[in-house]
Amino acid sequence: MKGISEDAAALLQGLTYEAIRHPVSKKISGIRDRLTGRSLKVPLITVGTSACGQGAGSLASMHRFGALIREKLPEAVLQETGCLGLCSEEPIAGIQMPGMNRLFFRNVTEANAEKLFRSLILKKKIPEDLLIGQLPESGPAEWKGIPSIDDHPFFRGQTRRIMKNFGILDPFSIEEYLARGGYLALAKALHSMTPSEVCGEIEAGGLRGRGGAGFLTGVKWKETLSNPSMRKYVICNADEGDPGTYTGRSIIESNPHRVLEGIAIAAYAVGADTAYISIRARCTTSLERLEHAIAEAGACGLTGENILDSGFSLKIHIRKSAGAFVCGEETALIRSLEGRRGMPYPRPPYPSEKGLYEKPTVVDNVETLANVPDIIRNGSGEFASLGTEKSRGTKILTVSGNIRRTGIVEVAMGTPFRTVVEDICGGIPGGKKFKALLLGGPIGSCFPDPLLDTRIDYESIREAGSAMGSGGVVVLDETNCMVNTLEYLLDFIRNESCGKCIPCREGTRHLHEIIARIARGRHTESGNDALLRFKSVIELRNLAEVIRETSLCGLGQNAPLMVLSALRFFREEFEEHVFERHCPAGVCRNLEKPS
Amino acid sequence: MKEESEIISLLKKYQPVRENLIPILLALQEKEGFLSEEILFQTARYLGLSTGKVYGVATFYNQFRFRKKGKWELRLCLGTACHVKGSGKLLEFLRNELGIQPGETTADGLFSLETAACLGVCGFAPVLSVNGTVHSSVTEEKIRNILKKIREGEKA
């Protein structure tokens, strides 16, 4: 094989038909130890440079480290990594000294990078004020008296499976992924399982789609596999349009090969030879890493013709999308890949029967596919042991808004929201009161304090009148106004409604108008306006129910969820707006007369 | 006629099939900064579609723009996290400061103001992207400084 490193070539030897049936050879385990940092000879500095890190200025810190290394210690290694998940403490850097565990530091700005380098690398002294903790078992020896990052409140309550190596491995290095057992699941599937066994294993694990509806992935794959069509497709939905959600982006930026491995296994399982990844053209960091990963996997023979000598071939294409919220819906996404307006079409026929170019198609989102390699490698039992009876495994949530620690959190299904808000993310800063948690973006619903004990699994969330959605969590505190938030969310939905079906197109426009009227002051009204305002408030619930029952796709059906749940839990706040024309949070400034 | 041939040479890098419509429009927009009438005509002719179809697709997606953009593109995120952290007020501030509405460009062609549904950097809300560089946890003060720096840089 041309154009790949010696390490990669050696590690690929471990993926052959014979090799996976034998214990790992000494040579390969030696390379693994070296690449995972267990037998490090020189200091290693890693800087988290996914989009969040870059936003916090991690590129400048990296250049500073680079300059310092050139000047003081040319043998040290500088590496980019993905995101550890603790967004609010970015830029985050890791430093591993030879023979020791890796240490993680927070708030490594340009100035702090210099401080860190001078004190730790040159004087072997740990600057405690920047320390997050040490990564257990990352090196041969522990730092005495330094806490493990697993004891940090942010990481303590989490169960990191997909995110295990986030912020630790270099997303530009297929060698590092291979050294951590990457592509072993693909090798196992290709060399020892039939496609229907792969589907069966995924079904037995109970993996459900992480994009929203929560359909059993294995069942969907089986249906596609059983279709006799010669041409089938796999689509990886990385087109994240949900404000407040960046799960897919962070998985791709932190560990792109994991997604590619999941796609390859999915394609093998359903009998597809072409896969598309739909991703926003604007997500330049993700795109760059994904393109790099696909090229690497191609060079290593892990995509392309006759993968690992198994006779299975797969081409993975990136398809840049131009951004439309409704393209999270699978049928709309298929239309957009065909070069049309991304409007959904009624199901059935489901994509597993008639999808892209009228051929059977599997559409899975990034998080779902990232779960696949572990299930195949470790067996369905291990995956199914986590979570609740009907919702297995873990769920990744992106937590933002008015909360102390923002970031990406992976918890076992069944964990209560309260654990995430209060323990992992540290509650509301500044002594303010928690108001509500918005789950699932604009088409989700709100969870006030009493509902925080709801467990994070498909059934409990449905019982609470909401939908899992893609796992975006935005936290509101008492300074946020529910009416104002609702007005904002409905404006978003109204803009993003594709316009195909009337309940959604006209209904969401009316919903937005009604809420906007509530937040309007007397001084802006004339004639019958005040009467109409009341009349529309009376119609609000009825309208919401009609939209919910008659819309074509998930966008319309779930659009009124937020209105209904806000009315249920924050009725008093609405009434105060409607009757008193007063906003208790002081946000709706149009209500009061301008002085 | 120079511009026209540049469009065509870019078009020829793609197979003339409909599934390439969005990638083509994205590539042309990246090159020219916006989708001109000329681009829409040429693309439609190249793919054998009506200009209306091409325009229909282009207007469906958020990322396409049909007006020339300023030298500095300010894109304020209005995602949920940014909203609860006060991006609404920042938009008002930018409107007043630049004297333009979202989607418009200042008369001197220096700034254009855009909004985004979500830039995906929710952990640092509110965020403002300036020609693709994300500035995190922005305040009126920070934005004022950013604008000042750009203006001074342009004068020098």
Side-chain angles (χ1 to χ4, degrees), chain A residues 168-384:
Chain A
I168 297 167
L169 69 69
D170 179 355
F172 290 104
S173 158
I174 194 169
E175 292 86 355
E176 284 207 14
Y177 184 63
L178 287 167
R180 289 180 166 86
Y183 288 105
L184 259 174
L186 177 65
K188 184 178 170 190
L190 293 179
H191 295 322
S192 66
M193 296 166 90
T194 63
S196 91
E197 279 169 357
V198 176
C199 296
E201 197 69 29
I202 298 293
E203 194 184 346
L207 175 64
R208 296 168 67 172
R210 298 292 193 244
F215 196 74
L216 276 168
T217 307
V219 173
K220 195 158 86 176
W221 288 12
K222 250 185 193 157
E223 275 167 22
T224 314
L225 175 67
S226 65
N227 194 303
S229 167
M230 294 295 288
R231 269 234 100 107
K232 293 175 195 172
Y233 297 100
V234 169
I235 298 175
C236 169
N237 181 0
D239 193 337
E240 251 169 349
D242 201 345
T245 311
Y246 47 101
T247 320
R249 171 179 76 68
S250 111
I251 297 176
I252 289 174
E253 287 175 6
S254 301
N255 199 348
H257 283 290
R258 196 181 172 103
V259 181
L260 296 186
E261 188 178 1
I263 293 173
I265 294 170
Y268 174 70
V270 303
D273 62 357
T274 311
Y276 291 98
I277 303 173
S278 172
I279 182 166
R280 296 218 163 174
R282 193 175 287 149
C283 299
T284 42
T285 311
S286 314
L287 261 171
E288 179 198 4
R289 294 187 183 181
L290 205 51
E291 277 166 1
H292 187 270
I294 290 177
E296 272 186 322
C300 290
L302 293 166
T303 63
E305 299 287 319
N306 192 16
I307 296 168
L308 296 173
D309 247 345
S310 64
F312 168 66
S313 302
L314 172 70
K315 278 207 180 87
I316 302 182
H317 301 282
I318 294 178
R319 196 52 83 70
K320 291 184 200 172
S321 81
F325 178 58
V326 71
C327 289
E329 213 282 339
E330 57 180 10
T331 57
L333 178 66
I334 286 170
R335 284 285 173 264
S336 109
L337 282 175
E338 290 171 351
R340 295 165 198 276
R341 288 165 73 93
M343 290 177 164
Y345 57 87
R347 298 174 295 185
Y350 284 90
S352 55
E353 198 183 317
K354 259 186 177 182
L356 190 64
Y357 310 122
E358 308 285 302
K359 301 289 181 223
T361 304
V362 161
V363 185
D364 278 316
N365 87 339
V366 177
E367 190 186 343
T368 317
L369 289 166
N371 268 303
V372 167
D374 278 4
I375 302 177
I376 298 298
R377 192 174 59 220
N378 307 332
S380 55
E382 201 249 11
F383 180 81

Side-chain angles (χ1 to χ4, degrees), chain B residues 30-66:
Chain B
E30 194 175 326
K31 196 169 158 53
E32 305 284 323
F34 71 112
L35 297 179
S36 61
E37 256 178 53
E38 190 57 36
I39 288 178
L40 296 176
F41 282 133
Q42 295 286 353
T43 309
R45 193 174 308 155
Y46 184 70
L47 297 179
L49 296 166
S50 72
T51 316
K53 278 254 157 57
V54 172
Y55 186 66
V57 168
T59 48
F60 187 84
Y61 297 96
N62 296 326
Q63 214 162 322
F64 295 119
R65 37 183 304 136
F66 304 93

Side-chain angles (χ1 to χ4, degrees), chain A residues 45 62-78 113-114 117-118 121-122:
Chain A
I45 302 179
M62 200 171 73
H63 292 145
R64 178 103 305 238
F65 276 128
L68 285 164
I69 286 176
R70 271 193 302 280
E71 190 187 325
K72 307 267 181 203
L73 199 74
E75 69 270 23
V77 179
L78 180 63
E114 174 122 23
F117 188 89
R118 289 192 189 282
I121 303 221
L122 300 181

Side-chain angles (χ1 to χ4, degrees), chain B residues 95-116:
Chain B
R95 271 185 189 147
N96 290 336
E97 191 75 1
L98 300 172
I100 52 172
Q101 298 297 317
E104 294 180 352
T105 304
T106 51
D108 57 2
L110 202 55
F111 296 106
S112 52
L113 180 60
E114 295 283 328
T115 59

Side-chain angles (χ1 to χ4, degrees), chain A residues 435 480-485 487 515-522 525 533-534 537 570-592:
Chain A
K435 179 165 194 163
N480 295 119
C481 165
M482 214 54 217
V483 177
N484 173 271
T485 308
E487 185 185 343
I515 301 296
R517 270 188 201 141
I518 294 179
R520 187 170 74 186
R522 185 79 185 95
E525 294 177 337
R533 177 170 178 266
F534 255 97
V537 172
F570 297 96
R571 203 188 165 91
E572 281 163 22
E573 196 172 333
F574 277 85
E575 285 177 348
E576 195 165 340
H577 279 78
V578 174
F579 298 121
E580 319 283 338
R581 301 226 194 220
H582 176 251
C583 174
V587 178
C588 304
R589 283 177 299 174
N590 288 339
L591 272 174
E592 274 122 66

Side-chain angles (χ1 to χ4, degrees), chain A residues 506-524:
Chain A
E506 297 300 320
T508 55
R509 191 169 63 85
H510 277 293
L511 277 184
H512 177 253
E513 267 172 20
I514 294 172
I515 301 296
R517 270 188 201 141
I518 294 179
R520 187 170 74 186
R522 185 79 185 95
H523 61 284
T524 62

